[in-house]
Amino acid sequence: RMSAQNLLEEILNVYPGKSVPLIMIQFPTPFKMPDKISPGNTQLPTDASSGFMASAALLQTAARILKLKINAGVGNGGRILLQSNCEDVAVIMRQMAMDYGFQSIDVPKPVTESIECHESDGSDIRIPLRMQEWIRQGGDRAIGSAWSRDSLLPPNCETETAVACKMQGTPIHRCLLEMNH
């Protein structure tokens, strides 16, 4: 099997087109929760920099690919769509992407209020334990003009994970970024 990193390097080296308009990183297996006392799932990567699919190297390679559009003189850089059902993973991926020159794009239907941990508030939203822990730790939230409350893809393009989250009432944290000049 080819890793995501190897696939992007292959695209960078052999893709004959002048530009790639969009790269999507959707629902990567999360890393272990920071500061988690219990061991949790011992098969998860230990943190965002150790074995996590959306690594700094992957985002750096994505940035190089999406800069080709600028270098080819065909407008702004390409875009990257990040989606996760783990708020901490989404927030960390976005920050890592911004560290490599990506800029957030304001979305048409932003997340305007935080989802909090209420046991029975009558809503259909299911707050996963991981998200509850992230909130308890005071982690940055996926709220504001860059975070979309609705899918940014056509309905027939949603992943199985996105459909499952929708059916279970689990929040999806998604943002779209563009490569800076």
Side-chain angles (χ1 to χ4, degrees), residues 65-84:
I65 290 169
L66 296 174
K67 278 184 183 176
L68 294 174
K69 191 172 177 185
I70 297 168
N71 296 339
V74 283
N76 294 331
R79 295 178 172 185
I80 190 165
L81 171 65
L82 305 174
Q83 295 193 101
S84 179

Side-chain angles (χ1 to χ4, degrees), residues 30 33-34 36 84-91 111 113-118 125-143 169-173:
M33 266 305 280
K36 185 82 170 149
S84 179
N85 52 345
C86 301
E87 186 172 26
D88 60 304
V89 170
V91 167
V111 176
E113 57 186 300
S114 66
I115 300 168
E116 299 301 331
C117 307
H118 303 296
I125 297 172
R126 184 183 138 292
I127 308 298
L129 292 176
R130 183 182 180 108
M131 185 172 168
Q132 292 176 35
E133 181 66 16
W134 180 249
I135 293 168
R136 189 191 66 71
Q137 291 178 13
D140 290 338
R141 305 301 306 278
I143 302 167
T170 304
I172 298 173
H173 312 281

